[in-house]
Amino acid sequence: MTQTHIFDVIIVGGGGAGLMAALNASKSAKTAVISKLYPSRSHTGAAQGGIGAALGNLEEDQPEWHTYDTVKGSDWLGDQDAIEFMCAEAVQAVYDLEQMGLPFSRTPDGRIAQRPFGGHTNNLTGKPVRRSCYAADRTGHMILQTLYQQCIKNETQFFDEFEVLDLILAEGAVAGVVALEMATGELHIFRARAIIFATGGYGRVWEITSNAYAYTGDGVAVTLRRGIPAQDMEFFQFHPTGIHKLGILITEAVRGEGGILINDQGERFMQRYAPHVRDLASRDVVSRAMYLEMREGRGIKGGRYLYLDVRPETVNRCAEEDGRTRPDGQPYRVTGEEILSKIPDIADFCRTYLGVDPITQPMPVQPTAHYAMGGIPTDLYGRVIVDAEKRVLPGLYAAGECACVSVHGANRLGTNSLVDLVVFGKHAGLDAARYATEAALPELPADALEFSRQQLDQLRNGDGSEQVAALTHEMQAVMFEDVGVFRTRQGLESAVEKIRQLRQRYAQGVRVKDTGKVFNTELVNAWELGNLLDLALVTAVSARERSESRGAHAREDFPERDDARWMKHTLAWLKDDEIRLDYKPVTITRFPPKERVY
Amino acid sequence: MKITFKVLRFHPERDEKPHFDSWDLEVEPTDRVLDLLEQVRGFYDGSLAFRRSCAHGVCGSDAMRINGRNRLACKVLVRDLDSNTITVEPLLGLRVLKDLIVDMDPFFKAYRSVKPYLIHTSPPVADGRERLQSPEQRERFDDTTKCILCAACTTSCPAYWSNGDYVGPAAIVNAHRFIFDSRDQGAAERLRILNEQTGVWRCRTVFNCTEACPRDIKITQAIAEVKRAILTGKLD
C-alpha cells in the first residue's frame, strides 16, 4: 500500500546543503528531509581542511579578494554575480555556524582559527592568505554534526533511509517525489509545493575517488530523466592528494601547514609549475603537474604516485627557503607534535591504511576524483534553471554539490564547497519556503508511481547476464583512463562509445537476484549504477565537445583556453541514449578574463 | 592470501533464525573488511545486506562485530586481524533487521534525549562576530567532538545489553561535548537527565566502550567526568 505524505517543502538529501535548507525552510513552511542515509552519515562529514571566509582574524583579508581568487580559480567560467554574493555571505555564514555551536579551532586570542589553502591569496602581495576557517582537519564533520544538532533542536522531520527515485511534475511545476523506503521496500509519494535537491556529487563514476559509496549522483540523474538539463558536467575536480590506490582524501591543509609534494628524485617539483605559490596552487594545476611528473618517469619508483612530505625537518627547510613567517612576524618553524595537532585524522588515516607515520615518513599520494563543479543549473536562490534563456521551473530547487550556480566554474577552490553548501543551502531553503506560501499544491498525475516502478522492474527482469559490480568497475576504469585529469578527442570518443555499450548491457543484462523487500540493497545499488552511467555519459559527451582547456578540463589536443569560442556554460539534456547540448553565457561583472598563473 | 569469511545472516522474509554463511576468498592483506563484504555482495550473494558510505572511518555507517570486537568494517584491514578466518556479526543489543543491518532508532532516540545541541540564551556578540573561546577552553571538550554516532561503544556495553533504557556511552559522549563547552548554558539540564535511572550511574566502568571506539575517544573518562560534575556540581 503506497503511503502519501504532504508537505510544503521537501528536501532530498541530509548533508550540509540539505540541513541548511531544512533549518531555513522550516522557519515558515512545513518541511521534511528525505535522506538515503542517516543524515550524520552524509559526505559533508568527510570534508577536512576548512571553510573559506575573509574574517581577517590573523591578517588582512577581504571578501573582494576571496571573490577574485574564486573567479580566477574557476578559470573565468564561474558567474561573477554569484561568486561575489557567495564570498560576501561567507563571512556571516561562518559567524552563524559559530552561533549554532560549531567548535572551530581558535587563535590564541580566542577567535576562529584560519589557515592558508590553495589558490587563496592576498591580492596585493600575491602570497597565500589565511582564509580557511577550520576545526582541526574535521571541519566538514563539525559542520554536519552542528547542523544535525540544530535540526534536532528544531524538531525537523526526517525520513531516513528513503531513496528518492523520481521527481513528479504536473502542469509545468513540481508536484512531489517518489521514494523507496529501504526498511520495507514500499514506495511512498511525497507531495509538496517545493522540492529542493541536495543530493551531493557523483565521484563514484571514477576508479580512484575520495567520494563515499553514496555519491552516485542521484539528484542530477533523476532530474535529467525528467527533462531538466545538467550544466558544466565536463568539469570534475581531481584532488591532488588522495591516498595511493585507495583515493582517500589527504586535505590540502597538509600543504597549508607547510607540507610539500616531491618526486622520485626528491625534488619539490611544484616550484617549476607554480613559481609564486608552489604547492598551494589551485587543485587542477597541481593534479596536472603530478601527472606530468609521473608521465616523465619521476613518479616514486617510476610508479603512479608521488610523495606528500610533512615531516617537520622538510616543512622547516622549505619555510626557510620561502621566508614564511608566523602572524607575529617570527619565522615559521614547526614540531611534529604541532603538525599532529593540526591534522590528527590524516595521521590516523595514514597509520590505518598505509602503516605510515606522516611525521617520520612521506605519504604516497595520487590525484583522486573529488568534486563535481557541474550539476543541476540554478540561480542565486537555488531555483532550477531549465534552458539557456534562464527559465525557472516553478517549485524546483537545488543546492550544494548537486547544483551548479555556477560559483566554481571550471575548477573549485579548496574550502569553497563548504561555503557553497552553507550559503546556497540557506537561500534555497528560504526561497522554497517563500514560494511554498504562495503556490498551490499541484494535483498528482494519475500515474505518479509508474516511472519508478518501471525502473525497478527493469532491474528485476533483465536476462541476468551482467553483474552490477563488474559493470561498475568497467565504467570506473574507462572514466579514469579517458575522462580524467588529461583528455583527448580520441580518448573521449572511445569513452563515449564504451559508456554507451555499458548502458546497453546494464539495461538488458542486470537482474537483481534478491527478491526480498526489506533492505534490498542489491536493488538500490543496481539503480544507483544506472544513475552513474547516465552521468558518465553526459560528462564524457560534454567533455568531448569542449575543444579547449579550462580549469579541470585539460585537453591535450587543445591545450589553450579559448575565450572567443568557449567562454560559456554547457547545458546537456539526456533523452534515452541521446544527448543534446546547448550553451549559455557566463556572467562577468568586475573581472575581465586574463591569463591564469599561480 | 586465502581466508575464510563468515557472516552471520538473517533474512527476515526467509529465515526463522540467524545462521552463518561462509566464503573462501582470495584477498590482499591491505583489504578492508568492507572490501570483503563488497566482494561477496558484488560477486557471490547480492542479498547480503550491510550499511556503508564513506569507507574511511568518518561516516559511522558500518560498525559491526568483527572477530568478536566492535569495529568499523572500513577501518579494519585483513592484516590487522592476523587470522585466516574472519567472522562478521551484527552489533549486539539492537534488533537485527537484516544481516548486518540493525535498528538504529533506539540509539538515535537515546542520543536525542540528552539535548545534543548548543543551548545558549544570551544575545549574539555585539560586534556581530564570533564568541571568544580560548584554545584551552576549546581543548576541554575536543575529544568528544570526534563522535561519529556509529554505535560501536553503546553496543559493546554490558550495561546497555542488560537494559536498553540506559542512554548508553554514545549519548553521554555527546552530552559531555556540550556540558564542557564554555559557550553552552544547558549543563544543569543535561546533568539532571544523566542523573536519572537511565543515566550515567548504569556505567560500571568496564572500558568496553573506550576499546570499541574507532575514533579513539576516551569514553570511560568522559563518563567519569560527567559523573564527577553531577556529584560536585562543578565543571572543571
Side-chain angles (χ1 to χ4, degrees), chain A residues 534-546:
Chain A
D534 284 0
L535 300 196
L537 184 64
V538 172
T539 301
V541 170
S542 301
R544 184 189 63 191
E545 294 309 308
R546 184 175 284 270

Side-chain angles (χ1 to χ4, degrees), chain A residues 259-281:
Chain A
I260 58 161
L261 287 160
I262 54 177
N263 62 21
D264 198 43
Q265 298 162 0
E267 183 204 5
R268 186 186 182 187
F269 58 86
M270 280 311 299
Q271 296 196 109
R272 280 188 277 117
Y273 296 92
H276 300 293
V277 292
R278 292 172 285 255
D279 296 90
L280 284 174

Side-chain angles (χ1 to χ4, degrees), chain A residues 221 224-225 503 529-539 574:
Chain A
L224 268 172
R225 287 182 201 126
R503 290 175 88 240
L529 173 60
N531 299 343
L532 288 172
L533 284 167
D534 284 0
L535 300 196
L537 184 64
V538 172
T539 301
L574 176 69

Side-chain angles (χ1 to χ4, degrees), chain A residues 308-574:
Chain A
L308 175 60
D309 188 347
V310 73
R311 292 176 292 187
E313 58 271 28
T314 307
V315 171
N316 291 337
R317 191 187 71 234
C318 294
E320 190 166 355
E321 280 168 22
D322 299 353
R324 182 172 173 181
T325 55
R326 301 250 179 212
D328 62 6
Q330 294 294 309
Y332 184 81
R333 298 292 180 271
V334 294
T335 60
E337 197 180 334
E338 183 181 349
I339 290 171
L340 284 180
S341 74
K342 297 281 179 64
I343 51 165
D345 278 2
I346 295 302
D348 182 28
F349 299 154
C350 287
R351 289 180 190 130
T352 301
Y353 299 109
L354 297 167
V356 160
D357 182 344
I359 298 310
T360 59
Q361 293 162 280
M363 300 167 251
V365 293
Q366 72 181 117
T368 183
H370 185 57
Y371 187 88
M373 272 73 75
I376 306 168
T378 75
D379 66 11
L380 264 60
Y381 304 99
R383 294 183 292 199
V384 172
I385 303 289
V386 294
D387 58 24
E389 281 68 53
K390 303 191 180 177
R391 193 165 55 87
V392 164
L393 197 157
L396 187 59
Y397 293 78
E401 189 174 346
C402 76
C404 181
V405 182
S406 147
V407 284
H408 310 305
N411 172 68
R412 175 173 70 74
L413 281 196
T415 77
N416 273 353
S417 61
L418 295 174
V419 184
D420 174 347
L421 63 82
V422 173
V423 169
F424 294 106
K426 170 181 168 179
H427 285 283
L430 289 174
D431 202 73
R434 178 200 58 75
Y435 172 85
T437 57
E438 298 163 4
L441 183 69
E443 288 301 316
L444 286 180
D447 57 351
L449 291 174
E450 180 57 28
F451 189 43
S452 301
R453 287 205 172 114
Q454 257 177 33
Q455 293 182 58
L456 298 181
D457 285 347
Q458 182 202 305
L459 298 170
R460 293 184 179 113
N461 298 322
D463 63 25
S465 59
E466 300 289 350
Q467 284 175 312
V468 166
L471 291 175
T472 304
H473 290 315
E474 283 189 52
M475 169 193 68
Q476 290 172 334
V478 169
M479 292 297 286
F480 202 69
E481 187 60 32
D482 287 330
V483 198
V485 170
F486 280 110
R487 301 156 177 196
T488 62
R489 170 132 207 131
Q490 197 183 11
L492 290 165
E493 277 175 354
S494 151
V496 169
E497 185 48 38
K498 285 179 190 159
I499 298 294
R500 282 194 203 282
Q501 287 167 11
L502 287 171
R503 290 175 88 240
Q504 270 177 13
R505 287 166 55 193
Y506 169 83
Q508 288 163 12
V510 167
R511 183 190 189 97
V512 173
K513 292 183 189 71
D514 187 351
T515 53
K517 293 174 78 82
V518 177
F519 283 103
N520 191 332
T521 55
E522 185 184 12
L523 179 66
V524 170
N525 289 346
W527 182 76
E528 289 173 346
L529 173 60
N531 299 343
L532 288 172
L533 284 167
D534 284 0
L535 300 196
L537 184 64
V538 172
T539 301
V541 170
S542 301
R544 184 189 63 191
E545 294 309 308
R546 184 175 284 270
S547 52
E548 67 157 351
S549 289
R550 182 186 297 271
H553 176 66
R555 286 282 296 258
E556 296 192 79
D557 43 353
F558 297 94
E560 302 299 323
R561 196 174 81 196
D562 182 353
D563 287 341
R565 290 182 59 218
W566 287 107
M567 179 70 99
K568 56 189 180 184
H569 297 291
T570 305
L571 293 174
W573 286 262
L574 176 69

Side-chain angles (χ1 to χ4, degrees), chain A residues 41 57 98-99 101-103 106 110 112 141-142 149 161 213 345 348 353 514 517-519 521, chain B residues 13 41 46 51 53 56 59-60 74-75 98 116 129-131 133 138 145 147-149 177 183 215:
Chain A
R41 315 293 186 220
N57 281 353
E98 197 283 322
Q99 274 297 317
L102 197 142
R106 298 287 175 155
I112 293 170
H141 166 77
M142 300 304 185
Q149 291 155 3
E161 300 191 316
Y213 276 103
D345 278 2
D348 182 28
Y353 299 109
D514 187 351
K517 293 174 78 82
V518 177
F519 283 103
T521 55
Chain B
E13 295 156 282
R41 179 159 66 184
R51 295 185 174 107
S53 190
H56 65 288
C59 82
C74 62
K75 245 192 134 174
K98 183 178 175 184
R129 298 173 67 187
E130 71 269 50
R131 280 168 295 215
Q133 182 171 54
R138 169 63 180 78
T145 63
C147 176
I148 54 174
L149 300 170
R177 176 252 170 275
R183 301 169 299 173
R215 302 285 286 160

